[in-house]
Amino acid sequence: MNIQNYINGQFVNPIHNEWLNNYNPAKGEVYSQIPNSTIEDVEMAYKSAKSAFKKWSLTSLEERSRILIKISELLEENLQQFAEAESLDNGKPIWLAKAVDIPRAASNFRFFANAITQFASESHESVGHNAINYTLRQPIGVVGCISPWNLPLYLFSWKIAPAIAAGNCVVAKPSEVTPMTAFLLSEICIEAGLPKGVLNIVHGLGTTTGQAIVEHPGIKAISFTGGTVTGAHIAKVAAPMFKKLSLELGGKNPNIIFADCDYDDMLTTTVRSSFANQGQICLCGSRIFVEDSIYEKFKTDFVKKVKTLKVGHPSATETKVGALVSKPHLEKVLSYVKIAKGEGGKVLCGGNQLTIKGSENGYYMEPTIIEVKTDECRVNQEEIFGPVVTIMPFSSEEEVLQMANKVKYGLSATLWTNDLKRTMRMSNQLQVGIVWVNTWMMRDLRTPFGGVKDSGVGREGGFEALRFFTEPKNVCIKY
Ligand code: NAD
């Protein structure tokens, strides 16, 4: 099936009729073509968004909300089709897409449909001056949303839903590696009655299509999720144009395990936080630090459990770990196993590419645990973004805190302990945007989401997202 751009409420081919191959990672085969859009396609999408803006920005909150809820309902009705499409495109197990990706995408639309009806602005009475100030929260205009391949529809909708809810019109680009569910979403938007031009989806490469969105002088804000290097580049391009920027970037998150934790709960969750989605979640706890009194026990139990994880074709119900997203990505992840060995790391399990019967050309890899000697080695410092975690012991709270913070990233951290005072002390001092205590990836969509340091700038989620997608304007009235 060929994917098309969705511009001005219609499906269109790229202006230059150039196409890119889209791969099924489970088989290592091309299965569709996507537009290789250029600056001209982005211009067409921009014009469509611009002409829709005035009417959409004046559309009542109830009406915007109604349409977003309809999109959410249609996603739920088409759960199976979307889950299969996401799995085919990305390599993740179908059951995972069905349990997490698609339901959460539907939740994103539902959440912001409701949130916009509760979004209020402030007023300040200037007592003694006979004046009152009130703040308008006005939509920005045309905004750009650019998303990555790891949680394709989930992260795409996480941006689009608040942007539209707040009254903006959008030019969006999903990852060229996983464009399919964004394409299917366009069909749903038509069915839900989203006015033409409110959402425009342009497919293509980051360096051309994505770059054209970031460079476009009329696109006033960019919400981007992806790698740190790309984020830095986007910031450089956007800064001289004073664009509003929200950057959700890479992570190298610590998973800190104290001896007083609920052990079984911790072990089960740690397997998940290490290898869910083939370890390709920005929030995965890829650096595991274990208090030395339980280190040997943990090491034995963790390795034993991870060895039982079934790697296989994403459509098999028993598959726990599917295919990695692409060949270059698989090669990158495998290269880190080599690097680890070179710097004295010990591979406790996994480390190899896997061949799956019937899918011999797919991009499979064994879940891998590397015991590292020092937290300063490359595998412990650089984002690998695959089924690879490091483990090492620690002896004190101060030591582990220092190691946890000694990376350039600062997205999330997980803490396993039942000591309340320690929880408070450490949560205060961890240099991250999100701390999970005795859990992982539990999400409440009202909470601020994002990172510090090289993990990004700005926050998504709840009213933070609606604040990002609006401009505050103060009105001062003297009476
Ligand atoms: P990427 O940076 O390569 O690409 C992300 C998106 O940006 C894609 O749509 C791509 O086409 C586009 N892009 C690339 N170059 C561009 C340019 N010059 N101008 C405009 N757009 C451009 O990232 P990826 O490999 O798709 O995703 C993996 C990365 O995303 C990891 O680093 C991961 O940690 C990060 N991530 C972060 C979060 C978060 O919330 N912080 C969530 C998921 C993934």
Side-chain angles (χ1 to χ4, degrees):
M1 174 164 50
N2 276 6
I3 285 174
Q4 289 177 294
N5 289 334
Y6 169 61
I7 297 175
N8 206 26
Q10 285 174 342
F11 290 108
V12 289
N13 286 342
I15 291 171
H16 289 287
N17 205 28
E18 282 176 13
W19 302 84
L20 301 164
N21 287 334
N22 186 25
Y23 285 81
N24 163 6
K27 293 263 187 202
E29 290 168 354
V30 174
Y31 83 102
S32 76
Q33 302 278 306
I34 79 162
N36 185 5
S37 304
T38 63
I39 197 166
E40 283 128 299
D41 298 291
V42 170
E43 183 59 30
M44 195 164 119
Y46 168 74
K47 283 196 177 125
S48 148
K50 189 166 188 292
S51 61
F53 175 64
K54 188 161 185 205
K55 187 153 181 232
W56 182 245
S57 66
L58 296 173
T59 298
S60 71
L61 300 185
E62 292 81 359
E63 177 64 1
R64 285 186 221 158
S65 176
R66 192 189 63 75
I67 294 171
L68 290 181
I69 286 186
K70 185 74 191 154
I71 294 174
S72 168
E73 287 169 352
L74 287 169
L75 278 173
E76 282 162 355
E77 276 170 32
N78 293 284
L79 174 65
Q80 186 67 27
Q81 183 206 6
F82 270 81
E84 283 173 14
E86 200 73 295
S87 165
L88 184 65
D89 224 16
N90 172 280
K92 66 179 71 205
I94 293 181
W95 63 260
L96 183 68
K98 206 170 164 181
V100 179
D101 293 74
I102 310 307
R104 288 200 181 190
S107 300
N108 289 341
F109 282 105
R110 190 178 297 276
F111 175 83
F112 285 106
N114 291 320
I116 195 63
T117 66
Q118 304 298 315
F119 187 47
S121 60
E122 293 175 319
S123 73
H124 302 86
E125 189 181 359
S126 300
V127 177
H129 298 282
N130 287 347
I132 188 150
N133 292 270
Y134 64 89
T135 309
L136 292 170
R137 277 267 163 196
Q138 296 179 313
I140 296 169
V142 180
V143 300
C145 298
I146 301 175
S147 58
W149 49 256
N150 63 325
L151 301 165
L153 191 65
Y154 178 178
L155 294 177
F156 194 60
S157 54
W158 184 233
K159 299 181 177 307
I160 287 168
I164 292 174
N168 300 284
C169 292
V170 177
V171 177
K173 191 192 92 63
S175 169
E176 63 275 27
V177 186
T178 53
M180 188 54 85
T181 45
F183 172 62
L184 297 176
L185 176 72
S186 336
E187 289 177 349
I188 276 189
C189 289
I190 295 172
E191 200 180 335
L194 186 71
K196 59 183 189 179
V198 173
L199 172 63
N200 303 275
I201 303 177
V202 190
H203 296 273
L205 298 171
T207 45
T208 49
T209 318
Q211 180 87 14
I213 294 173
V214 177
E215 281 178 347
H216 198 293
I219 298 179
K220 298 292 182 200
I222 301 288
S223 174
F224 169 80
T225 299
T228 293
V229 172
T230 317
H233 172 76
I234 288 176
K236 233 187 238 168
V237 175
M241 288 183 268
F242 307 107
K243 294 193 181 197
K244 232 178 156 178
L245 273 187
S246 167
L247 302 172
E248 301 290 340
L249 311 176
K252 189 74 181 177
N253 313 304
N255 180 6
I256 303 168
I257 300 166
F258 284 93
D260 73 335
C261 70
D262 294 335
Y263 188 84
D264 293 345
D265 207 12
M266 173 280 294
L267 189 62
T268 310
T269 307
T270 294
V271 172
R272 209 163 51 84
S273 66
S274 303
F275 299 111
N277 205 42
Q278 298 68 248
Q280 302 167 141
I281 303 180
C282 54
L283 305 163
C284 276
S286 52
R287 293 183 293 147
I288 305 176
F289 298 105
V290 188
E291 193 164 11
D292 46 16
S293 61
I294 59 162
Y295 183 72
E296 288 304 325
K297 176 176 165 48
F298 172 80
K299 190 162 102 177
T300 309
D301 294 345
F302 185 49
V303 169
K304 197 168 148 203
K305 250 189 173 333
V306 170
K307 278 187 173 164
T308 66
L309 289 177
K310 176 114 181 70
V311 182
H313 192 278
S315 64
T317 45
E318 68 277 10
T319 292
K320 287 283 182 291
V321 178
L324 272 67
V325 76
S326 68
K327 191 154 187 257
H329 188 59
L330 171 69
E331 283 162 2
K332 178 196 147 187
V333 176
L334 285 168
S335 78
Y336 272 99
V337 178
K338 228 188 219 166
I339 292 169
K341 287 178 184 163
E343 52 189 15
K346 189 170 162 197
V347 178
L348 300 178
C349 73
N352 305 302
Q353 185 173 357
L354 265 183
T355 306
I356 302 294
K357 212 166 170 269
S359 304
E360 283 76 7
N361 296 324
Y363 316 132
Y364 299 92
M365 180 179 172
E366 296 169 332
T368 303
I369 306 171
I370 298 168
E371 186 175 45
V372 290
K373 286 190 177 145
T374 153
D375 65 297
E376 288 179 351
C377 59
R378 280 184 64 191
V379 276
N380 218 51
Q381 292 286 322
E382 297 174 18
E383 186 184 46
I384 301 173
F385 214 56
V388 178
V389 293
T390 64
I391 68 168
M392 67 175 287
F394 68 87
S395 55
S396 70
E397 190 179 310
E398 293 69 35
E399 182 196 12
V400 75
L401 195 57
Q402 204 208 10
M403 292 193 294
N405 286 339
K406 215 189 326 155
V407 287
K408 65 178 186 174
Y409 297 105
L411 187 54
S412 70
T414 304
L415 202 53
W416 290 94
T417 179
N418 278 309
D419 182 330
L420 179 62
K421 290 179 183 167
R422 176 196 282 149
T423 300
M424 308 290 281
R425 276 194 304 270
M426 293 208 46
S427 301
N428 283 350
Q429 292 176 76
L430 282 162
Q431 295 166 0
V432 294
I434 303 152
V435 181
W436 277 296
V437 183
N438 300 329
T439 184
W440 176 71
M441 219 175 141
M442 185 179 271
R443 296 279 294 117
D444 180 325
L445 301 187
R446 292 169 301 179
T447 59
F449 180 91
V452 299
K453 304 200 290 194
D454 285 18
S455 290
V457 180
R459 293 293 180 275
E460 298 186 312
F463 292 151
E464 298 284 346
L466 295 177
R467 279 185 207 111
F468 175 76
F469 283 116
T470 52
E471 281 290 358
K473 181 194 284 173
N474 192 68
V475 181
C476 176
I477 303 176
K478 183 148 169 61
Y479 54 85

